[in-house]
């Protein structure tokens, strides 16, 4: 099982999209207060309210309804399993990227730190060094 964590939720709209019978994060708006805390692919295990009520086994519709109903609860928390997609596709521009890419079977490891001047550093976000990405045919 992947690691999990309980994340405090601010009041108001989270600006996070979920999908699936077991809710998974499918999008996080850059204006979201959860931007950087939730990653696409994280699985929602439970929603805990400020009064101690714990909601488990919610589908996406039920989760969104509960989040909306309790949006003014300043003590609500969400337990997330930190699962990630099985693969990520990255399309790189032609030219220098300031990366060293090492092959390990069908996986490639970006093994250097990306500097602020790199074309991969954009709007305050960057590819993480030492992260694995599966490169599929035709991506490079």
């Amino acid at each position: 099982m992947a690691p999990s964590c309980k994340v405090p939720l601010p009041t108001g709209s989270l600006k996070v999209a979920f999908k699936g019978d077991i809710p998974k994060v499918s999008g996080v708006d850059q204006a979201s207060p959860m931007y950087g805390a939730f990653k696409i692919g994280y699985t929602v295990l439970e929603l805990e309210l400020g009064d101690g009520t714990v909601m488990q086994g919610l589908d996406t519709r039920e989760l969104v309804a509960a989040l909306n109903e309790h949006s003014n609860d300043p003590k609500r928390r969400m337990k997330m399993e930190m699962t990630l997609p099985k693969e990520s596709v990255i399309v790189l521009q032609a030219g220098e990227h300031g990366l060293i890419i090492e092959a390990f079977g069908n996986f490639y490891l970006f093994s250097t730190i990306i500097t602020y001047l790199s074309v991969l550093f954009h709007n305050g976000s960057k590819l993480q060094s030492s992260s694995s990405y599966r490169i599929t045919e035709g991506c490079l």
Side-chain angles (χ1 to χ4, degrees):
M1 179 176 236
S4 64
C5 62
K6 284 193 177 180
V7 180
L9 302 176
T11 58
S13 175
L14 298 181
K15 299 181 183 178
V16 175
F18 302 95
K19 70 176 182 177
D21 292 331
I22 299 172
K24 289 186 178 280
V25 175
S26 60
V28 183
D29 190 295
Q30 285 186 331
S32 169
M34 305 316 296
Y35 188 78
F38 287 178
K39 306 288 184 204
I40 292 174
Y42 279 17
T43 303
V44 178
L45 299 177
E46 65 185 37
L47 175 62
E48 182 180 330
L49 303 179
D51 66 3
T53 301
V54 177
M55 300 178 183
Q56 297 176 318
L58 301 174
D59 64 22
T60 296
R61 184 187 57 74
E62 294 166 332
L63 173 65
V64 171
L67 287 169
N68 288 335
E69 182 180 346
H70 301 283
S71 64
N72 291 325
D73 183 345
K75 294 185 179 182
R76 62 189 179 151
R77 301 187 306 168
M78 191 178 294
K79 184 174 182 182
M80 307 290 290
E81 184 177 48
M82 296 184 290
T83 50
L84 297 174
K86 291 183 181 178
E87 10 179 284
S88 296
V89 176
I90 300 171
V91 179
L92 301 175
Q93 300 173 13
E96 293 288 326
H97 296 102
L99 297 172
I100 295 172
I101 301 174
E102 299 176 62
F104 297 96
N106 288 332
F107 292 87
Y108 294 82
L109 181 70
F110 296 126
S111 59
T112 62
I113 295 173
I114 300 167
T115 66
Y116 181 78
L117 299 174
S118 170
V119 296
L120 296 176
F121 194 98
H122 179 68
N123 291 334
S125 62
K126 60 183 177 177
L127 295 175
Q128 299 296 312
S129 62
S130 299
S131 294
S132 293
Y133 297 90
R134 187 175 197 288
I135 307 297
T136 56
E137 185 177 353
C139 290
L140 294 178

